């Protein structure tokens, strides 16, 4: 009998997992019914950042390098992985996928499994509080495929889309503080281990879990102190033992990674974005779907790498969900767990409004919390909304729904105000499942109706040079690409990742330290050259014109960065999403700085940078811009190089060594 029960339980787990996976495959059908090794939402924007992070551990393991730091990106300064959204807890286990099929495939696997794992985590939590399997399944569905997760998936932010750990953290806390059936130290070990895993998925989400846990503990302790102080005295030792064990475990496991992120090479700045406390939701977007302007497609979404219609905004709860939760709270008003979840939902959603519209201003200057984007706190609020729905469905299913009667304590619910003459109530057979499913539909359908699925995907465009020549470069090669990789245009990170990180890349996307307060002259020059390259590549500001100072800065920066190749993919066939501002101007700009014309190689303009750049004649800026304009009119970027060389060496017509 026990074996049959165990088989049935595992069969139910398997069916729930399969159902969630089917939904995830529908969402990502553009990937899995196409080419999962070369299809994503985009080979640009933040997708490039996470593609690179998926590629790094596979490279590090095969080249005996540490996981926490590398100069393969942002050469020669490097990047601190724990200080970034490097998702090592996902990229490390998926390294075999990266080795076999490439980083785009491993990112697609992570993005597909993220909502499935999140849903299963929420289902596990709600099953502790319910007995009807469909209730726990619905709660998992609501949480794992919430508007927050869907927007994160659209941008391939697998760090915030993978929310499997938060429900399990609260499950451990529920056992330590409320259930207290197992050994406190074992549950404490589990809690500390889960916190460590979450740190390597997203330290920001871990911080938000800590905020939610602190609020929850205050609510539970306060309510218990009012209702039953004796119970509080009996339970505090068990809870304290588990929490202290968790703190010691997480502290031991995270001491070095946390130190490395904040005090290691290229550490996390004290504040990532100065205005991050104001990244909050609006009350209207919690309940009402976005308007046509917000839904997109729009320039903001496209800069992040998504070219479809905007999914629902992160904090969206919806009128339907709100109505269902309020009805359930009224019907089952004696269910304390419902009230606990409701309090946390309200408080966390209020915090998600940010410092401008909500109470987050209380925390905006608190260290660590000042780097949390308040709008993302809604991912923890969504967990308690899902839990409320699951509990309501379960209680509705188990209730005896009657017509008439006294509506006394227990599950006798008075659906009408009338009574039968004999004082007896008439039970409605089968009403429980109908009411439970009806409330679920009221909550879920309005949200699902707003989704524009499947998510928009497209082939990941990688210039041919990077899949051919780039994969054969010596490992010591340092490549500067045009467009220059920065937070505005990160596509070159995908090109480097698909090429197997064969070369080091100048520039990049991600979190880097704040500029020094007193930079050296060399640091000033390198920073200005990076700004000029960024402006030349992306944005709406005035283009660099190739003045003497700009070209001198670039030459010095090339020496400081150790660049060996400059590669500018031709515009022919290049998707607009990864195209820089002006290939002809870039050709003229680099030619003027190096005093050599590029070669056309595998569809890209390529310059080989000599070990030592010498001072040489510089053409006037008007020649650089004029040559670029002429080449643009001819739709021949190569003409810009010959024009610049002619303007620099009018008597010869070609610089020594040019056109190699």
């Amino acid at each position: 009998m026990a074996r049959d029960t165990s088989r049935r339980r595992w069969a139910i787990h398997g069916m729930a997992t399969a159902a969630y996976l089917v939904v995830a495959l529908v969402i990502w059908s553009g990937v899995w019914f196409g080419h999962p090794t070369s299809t994503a939402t985009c080979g640009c924007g933040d997708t490039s950042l996470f593609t690179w992070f998926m590629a790094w551990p596979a490279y590090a393991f095969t080249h005996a390098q540490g996981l926490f730091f590398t100069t393969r990106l942002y050469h020669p300064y490097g990047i601190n992985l724990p200080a970034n959204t490097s998702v090592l807890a996902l990229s490390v286990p998926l390294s075999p996928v990266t080795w076999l099929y490439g980083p785009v495939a491993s990112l697609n696997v992570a993005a597909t499994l993220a909502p499935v794992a999140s849903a299963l985590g929420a289902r596990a939590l709600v099953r502790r509080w319910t007995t009807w399997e469909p209730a726990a399944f619905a709660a998992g569905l609501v949480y794992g495929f919430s508007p927050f997760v869907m927007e994160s998936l659209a941008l391939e932010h697998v760090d915030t889309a993978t929310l499997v750990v938060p429900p399990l953290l609260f499950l451990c806390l529920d056992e330590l503080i409320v259930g207290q059936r197992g050994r406190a130290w074992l549950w404490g070990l589990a809690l500390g281990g889960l916190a460590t895993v979450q740190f390597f998925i997203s330290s920001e989400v871990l911080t938000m879990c800590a905020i939610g846990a602190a609020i929850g503990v205050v609510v539970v302790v306060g309510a218990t102190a009012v209702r039953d102080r004796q119970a509080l005295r009996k339970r505090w030792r068990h809870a304290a033992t588990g929490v202290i064990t968790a703190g010691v475990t997480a502290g031991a496991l995270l001491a070095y990674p946390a130190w490395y992120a904040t005090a290691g090479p290229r550490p996390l700045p004290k504040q990532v974005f100065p205005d991050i406390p104001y990244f909050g939701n609006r009350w209207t977007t919690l309940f009402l779907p976005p308007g046509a302007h917000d839904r997109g497609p729009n320039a903001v979404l496209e800069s992040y790498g998504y070219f479809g219609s905007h999914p629902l905004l992160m904090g969206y709860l919806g009128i339907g969900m709100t109505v269902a939760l309020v009805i359930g709270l009224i019907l089952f008003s004696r269910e304390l767990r419902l009230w606990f979840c409701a309090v946390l939902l309200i408080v966390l959603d209020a915090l998600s409004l940010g410092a401008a519209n909500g109470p987050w201003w209380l925390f905006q200057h608190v260290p660590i919390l000042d780097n949390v984007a308040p709008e993302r706190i809604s991912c923890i609020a969504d967990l308690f909304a899902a839990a409320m729905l699951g509990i309501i469905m379960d209680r509705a299913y188990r209730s005896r729904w009657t017509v008439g009667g006294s509506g006394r304590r227990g599950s006798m619910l008075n659906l009408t105000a009338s009574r039968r003459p004999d004082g007896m109530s008439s039970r409605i057979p089968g009403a429980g499942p109908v009411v439970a499913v009806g409330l679920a539909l009221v909550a879920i359908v309005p949200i699902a109706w707003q989704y524009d699925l499947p998510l928009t995907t497209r082939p990941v465009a990688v210039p041919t040079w990077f899949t051919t020549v780039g994969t054969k470069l010596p490992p010591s090669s340092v490549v500067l690409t045009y467009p220059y990789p920065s937070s505005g245009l990160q596509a070159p990170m995908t090109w480097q990742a698909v090429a197997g990180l064969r070369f080091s890349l100048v520039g990049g996307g991600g979190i880097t330290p704040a500029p020094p307060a007193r930079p050296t002259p060399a640091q000033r020059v390198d920073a200005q050259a990076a700004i000029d390259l960024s402006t030349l590549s992306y944005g709406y500001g005035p283009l660099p014109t190739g003045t003497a100072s700009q070209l001198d800065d670039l030459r010095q920066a090339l020496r400081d960065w150790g660049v060996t190749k400059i590669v500018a993919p031709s515009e022919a066939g290049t998707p607009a999403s990864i195209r820089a501002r002006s290939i002809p101007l870039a050709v003229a700009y680099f030619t003027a700085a190096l005093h050599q014309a590029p070669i056309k190689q595998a569809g890209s303009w390529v310059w080989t940078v000599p070990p030592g750049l010498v001072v040489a004649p510089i053409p006037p800026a008007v020649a650089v811009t004029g040559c670029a304009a002429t080449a643009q009119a001819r739709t021949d970027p190569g003409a810009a190089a010959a024009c610049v060389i002619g303007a620099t060496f009018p008597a010869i017509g070609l610089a020594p060594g040019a056109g190699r």
Side-chain angles (χ1 to χ4, degrees), residues 68-321:
F68 285 1
F69 184 80
T70 179
T71 57
R72 225 55 183 161
L73 191 66
Y74 283 109
H75 190 275
Y77 312 112
I79 183 171
N80 185 318
L81 276 296
N84 274 266
T85 55
S86 55
V87 292
L88 288 171
L90 306 179
S91 57
V92 169
L94 288 174
S95 290
V97 178
T98 306
W99 288 325
L100 292 172
Y101 303 108
V104 174
S106 55
L107 179 61
N108 283 329
V109 170
T112 302
L113 295 182
V116 177
S118 303
L120 289 172
R123 177 177 174 271
L125 174 63
V126 176
R127 283 185 78 252
R128 286 180 59 86
W129 302 334
T130 60
T131 58
W132 192 42
E133 286 290 346
F137 175 83
L141 189 69
V142 166
Y143 181 66
F145 299 89
S146 68
F148 183 96
V149 171
M150 293 301 295
E151 174 155 320
S152 296
L153 289 177
L155 305 178
E156 300 228 41
H157 289 177
V158 290
D159 58 331
T160 53
T162 306
L163 297 174
V164 58
V165 174
L168 302 181
L169 288 173
F170 285 100
L171 186 154
C172 291
L173 286 170
D174 180 66
E175 172 60 32
L176 286 172
I177 297 173
V178 180
Q180 299 193 342
R181 289 168 293 187
R183 295 183 179 181
W185 66 272
L186 282 177
W187 283 95
L189 285 175
L191 183 60
L194 287 167
T196 302
V197 173
Q198 183 57 63
F199 176 88
F200 287 109
I201 298 176
S202 170
S203 56
E204 184 181 24
V205 172
L206 177 60
T207 303
M208 293 185 290
C209 287
I211 294 171
I215 296 170
V217 168
V218 169
V219 171
V220 170
V221 171
T224 306
V226 171
R227 292 173 59 88
D228 189 354
R229 291 190 178 182
Q230 189 65 27
L232 193 62
R233 296 190 189 98
K234 290 180 180 179
R235 291 175 176 270
W236 79 268
R237 289 183 182 275
H238 184 99
T241 299
V243 172
I244 291 173
T245 302
V248 172
T249 302
L253 293 174
L254 291 177
Y256 180 71
W259 171 86
Y260 201 94
T262 56
R266 306 276 287 168
L268 187 73
K270 290 184 178 180
Q271 192 162 33
V272 178
F273 302 110
D275 56 346
I276 201 169
Y278 300 95
F279 291 7
N281 295 312
R282 301 189 301 271
W283 276 114
T284 53
T285 59
L286 294 180
F287 303 107
L288 300 176
H293 174 73
D294 291 324
R295 289 190 66 85
N298 58 60
V300 174
L301 267 184
E302 291 176 2
S303 68
Y304 282 107
Y306 188 64
F307 292 80
S309 294
H310 202 302
L312 290 170
L313 300 178
M314 280 190 171
Y316 184 75
L317 193 65
I319 296 295
M321 178 67 75

Side-chain angles (χ1 to χ4, degrees), residues 514-582:
R518 296 179 178 178
T520 64
Q523 288 173 330
R524 286 195 185 93
V525 169
D526 291 353
Q528 185 58 54
I531 292 171
D532 291 340
L533 289 170
S534 296
T535 308
L536 183 65
S537 304
Y538 176 81
Y540 303 97
L543 283 162
T545 57
T547 63
S549 62
Q550 289 171 343
L551 297 179
D552 278 338
D553 288 349
L554 177 58
R555 274 205 296 267
Q556 179 174 323
L558 293 175
R559 287 194 296 266
D560 294 343
W561 297 335
V563 175
T564 60
K565 296 277 186 186
I566 299 176
V567 182
S570 172
E571 284 188 336
T574 304
S577 59
I578 63 172
R579 190 181 304 160
R581 296 180 69 178
S582 175

Side-chain angles (χ1 to χ4, degrees), residues 410-468:
S411 59
M412 298 292 290
L413 299 175
N414 190 19
L415 297 187
T416 68
S418 61
R419 291 190 180 187
R420 292 177 56 179
D422 56 4
M424 299 294 292
S425 60
S426 176
R427 184 175 181 179
I428 306 175
V434 172
V435 174
V437 172
L439 288 172
L441 292 176
V442 169
I444 297 173
V445 169
I447 297 175
W449 188 262
Q450 296 293 330
Y451 289 157
D452 186 8
L453 299 177
L455 291 175
T456 300
T457 57
R458 55 178 55 197
V460 174
V462 180
T464 305
W465 189 91
F466 293 90
T467 58
T468 55

